[in-house]
Amino acid sequence: MEKSINRRLLLKLLGAGGALATLRPSLAQTSAQAETPLPSFTGPGPNPYWNGVNPFVVYPQKLPLLRLTDRPVQLETPRHYFRTVFTPNEAFYVRYHLDELPNEIDLSKWRLKLEGNFARQLEFSLEDLITKFKPVSIAAVNQCSGNSRSRFQPRVAGGQWGNGAMGNALWTGVRLMDLLEAAGVKPGTVQIQFEGLDRGKGPENLGSGRFMKSLDWGDPVLEETILAYAMNGEPLPMLNGFPVRLVVPGKFATYWLKHVTWIRALTEEDKNFWMTPAYKVPDTPNGSTTPEDVAAGKVKMVPIGKVNMPVRSFIIDPDGSSPLVVGMPVKVRGIAFSGHGKVVKVEVSTDDGKTWRPALLGPDYGKYSFRTFEFTWRPSAPGTYVIAVRATDEKGNIQPDTPVWNPGGYMWNKIERQEVVVLAAK
Ligand SMILES: Nc1nc2c(c(=O)[nH]1)N[C@H]1C(S)=C(S)[C@@H](COP(=O)(O)O)O[C@H]1N2
Ligand SMILES: [Mo]
C-alpha cells in the first residue's frame, strides 16, 4: 500500500503539470474579515473562547484560519476541524518566526544537503528521497510549545494562541537515521542541526535571522524521527514545510523543522538564539514555576526538547453555541494525546470536575496520534452545566486541574472545560 501511495505522490510532486512542484502563490492574499468587532481580550477568569479571538484570513492552499500575526505568519486552526482524528492539511495551523518565506521551490534545483561532521557530504533531490529510501509512515501530533498560551496568568509575551496551534497528520517520509547512516556520522558529533529556507531579521541584534534547531546525537527520538514529504497522503502545503519537514514524534513542534534543506553534524553544542535562550522551560516535573522564582534567578531552564508533550484532551462538541435539551442524548466528543505514550483513558465530567465517568475511545492510530473519544450524556434537569474532560496516558500521567506557569508560555495542559445550557423539553 505504501508503495502505491508513493508512486502516486511522486507523480504529484514531480509529475506532469507540476502544479505543486513550483507553487506561485502570493502570500499576501487577504480575506473576508469579520464585519463586527470581536472582543479584544480573553482573560482573566474562566476562558470562554476555545480559539484565540482573531480574524479569519485566507492564505494559499489554506481554508480560512485565525490570524495571530502576518509577519511572521501565524494562523490558528478553528475548533471544528478537530472533529476528525486527522486534521485536514488545508486547515492545519501555521507558525513561523521569520517573515521571508519560500514562495516557490524549484525542485529541479532544490537539494537536501548533509554537511559537517559526516564521513560523506551528501546531497539528495526530492526524487532521491522518495525513490532511494524506504518510505515510512507515522501518525503524530504536531503541537506548538505555546499552544493555549492565552490562558497563562499572569500573561506572558508571545503569540496568544487559543487551543488550535496543534494538528494530527499521517506523515510519510524517510527515516532520519537512514539519511544519517548514508552520510556516516563521525565520532565527536554532539548534535544534529536542521535549517530550512525561511529567512528574516528575527529579534533585533540576536543573530537570529536563520531558524535552526538541533537534537542531541544519541537522543532516542532520532530513531523515530522522519523527514516527511507527505502529509495525509498529499505533498506538504508550502506553509507546513514543502518539500520536506522534520517529524519528531512526541516532541513539541519547534523541532519539527520546515523546508529542511541543511542537516549538519555538529561537534559543538548549538548555541544559536532559537536553541538558547529561546524555547527553554523550567527544569521542574511539569515545566511550571512562578514569576517570583524567575525574578529571583532561582529557576534552571532547559531546552524544551528535553521534555515530551504532556497529556492533553479537548472537548470539540458540544461547543456551547446552542442549548441542549433535557432528556435528549448529547454526544460529548473530542480528542486526546500525549507525548509520553498512548492515551489509555479519557474521562468526562458533567459537574465541573466533581465526578468522572469513562468515555469510549476511538480507533488507535499509534501512540503519537490524536485519539478520539465519545461520551453520551442525557441531561436530566435544566440549567447551566460545566463539562470537563481529562486524559490519562499509558505511563500513568493524568491531566492536572492546576494551571501551568513559565515565562515562555509553554506546556499548558490543565483540564479543559465547556459551559453548556440545558433547556426544559416542551
Ligand atoms: N523552517 C521553520 N520550521 C519551523 C518553524 C519556523 O519558524 N521555520 N517553526 C517551528 C515551530 S515553533 C512550530 S510550532 C512548527 C509549526 O508547524 P506548522 O507551521 O506546520 O503548523 O514549525 C516549526 N518548524
Ligand atoms: Mo511553536
Side-chain angles (χ1 to χ4, degrees):
M1 183 194 139
E2 245 158 29
K3 228 182 176 172
S4 71
I5 284 188
N6 237 39
R7 206 168 297 127
R8 196 156 49 76
L9 259 174
L10 184 63
L11 286 173
K12 251 183 217 155
L13 287 159
L14 309 164
L20 284 156
T22 49
L23 293 165
R24 294 175 194 281
S26 152
L27 286 176
Q29 281 172 19
T30 37
S31 65
Q33 303 278 317
E35 289 195 359
T36 44
L38 291 159
S40 63
F41 180 63
T42 60
N47 195 317
Y49 301 104
W50 197 93
N51 282 117
V53 178
N54 286 298
F56 280 101
V57 63
V58 183
Y59 275 77
Q61 302 178 290
K62 291 286 173 185
L63 290 159
L65 301 177
L66 298 161
R67 185 190 65 204
L68 269 73
T69 60
D70 59 0
R71 292 183 202 187
V73 182
Q74 297 195 83
L75 312 173
E76 180 173 341
T77 302
R79 183 180 193 173
H80 64 271
Y81 291 113
F82 298 101
R83 285 183 178 143
T84 53
V85 70
F86 290 106
T87 316
N89 292 359
E90 305 74 37
F92 213 94
Y93 85 102
V94 176
R95 199 273 190 255
Y96 280 98
H97 297 75
L98 307 172
D99 62 346
E100 297 165 26
L101 306 187
N103 210 337
E104 56 182 326
I105 292 168
D106 181 350
L107 291 179
S108 68
K109 303 213 179 77
W110 179 85
R111 295 292 179 270
L112 170 71
K113 297 169 197 78
L114 280 83
E115 55 187 40
N117 202 37
F118 290 115
R120 293 164 289 280
Q121 316 285 304
L122 298 181
E123 285 195 6
F124 297 105
S125 67
L126 181 60
E127 185 172 359
D128 293 335
L129 295 178
I130 297 172
T131 58
K132 295 192 175 151
F133 295 89
K134 182 172 167 280
V136 292
S137 293
I138 186 170
V141 175
N142 163 325
Q143 182 189 214
C144 180
S145 325
N147 194 24
S148 315
R149 182 183 284 126
S150 60
R151 278 60 172 150
F152 274 64
Q153 292 296 334
R155 290 166 81 79
V156 293
Q160 297 301 304
W161 298 105
N163 288 336
M166 61 174 182
N168 184 42
L170 182 67
W171 309 93
T172 304
V174 185
R175 285 179 70 236
L176 176 67
M177 288 306 277
D178 288 352
L179 293 169
L180 299 183
E181 277 158 21
V185 177
K186 290 206 291 195
T189 299
V190 296
Q191 285 184 326
I192 307 293
Q193 185 188 60
F194 306 90
E195 182 177 351
L197 294 169
D198 41 331
R199 293 287 180 273
K201 281 216 174 67
E204 208 69 49
N205 302 325
L206 290 166
S208 55
R210 294 154 66 198
F211 186 78
M212 297 179 286
K213 296 295 285 194
S214 296
L215 290 166
D216 289 345
W217 178 235
D219 186 327
V221 82
L222 294 178
E223 293 290 337
E224 291 186 292
T225 298
I226 68 170
L227 199 61
Y229 44 73
M231 182 172 171
N232 295 324
E234 298 288 329
L236 273 58
M238 182 63 89
L239 291 169
N240 298 109
F242 183 88
V244 292
R245 84 169 307 161
L246 214 58
V247 169
V248 194
K251 299 286 180 191
F252 279 107
T254 184
Y255 289 89
W256 297 41
L257 246 286
K258 303 193 276 192
H259 322 286
V260 173
T261 302
W262 293 272
I263 298 180
R264 298 188 189 97
L266 305 182
T267 52
E268 267 167 45
E269 197 186 322
D270 189 352
K271 295 266 173 62
N272 98 77
F273 174 79
W274 302 111
M275 288 297 291
T276 185
Y279 286 104
K280 288 179 122 178
V281 288
D283 191 16
T284 56
N286 59 352
S288 216
T289 181
T290 61
E292 294 71 32
D293 281 1
V294 171
K298 285 189 193 159
V299 186
K300 185 188 164 210
M301 304 290 280
V302 294
I304 199 167
K306 300 276 183 223
V307 300
N308 286 30
M309 296 187 290
V311 61
R312 297 196 71 176
S313 59
F314 300 87
I315 300 161
I316 306 304
D317 291 300
D319 65 2
S321 61
S322 51
L324 311 176
V325 179
V326 167
M328 292 271 284
V330 52
K331 283 218 155 79
V332 178
R333 272 193 264 247
I335 47 163
F337 70 95
S338 169
H340 294 277
K342 198 184 168 94
V343 168
V344 292
K345 185 162 67 175
V346 174
E347 296 161 289
V348 172
S349 167
T350 54
D351 56 10
D352 201 9
K354 286 184 207 69
T355 61
W356 296 91
R357 279 168 294 167
L360 207 61
L361 297 181
D364 181 1
Y365 291 98
K367 60 180 177 175
Y368 296 114
S369 173
F370 279 159
R371 184 117 199 220
T372 54
F373 67 85
E374 150 177 333
F375 174 85
T376 305
W377 177 43
R378 202 182 287 268
S380 57
T384 297
Y385 292 80
V386 177
I387 304 173
V389 63
R390 75 177 179 200
T392 306
D393 68 27
E394 63 182 334
K395 302 272 165 57
N397 299 302
I398 184 165
Q399 285 180 259
D401 210 4
T402 44
V404 173
W405 194 90
N406 55 60
Y410 302 137
M411 295 176 71
W412 185 262
N413 79 326
K414 185 179 185 288
I415 288 172
E416 297 284 329
R417 288 176 163 73
Q418 174 64 56
E419 191 176 283
V420 290
V421 171
V422 176
L423 302 180
K426 287 253 164 67

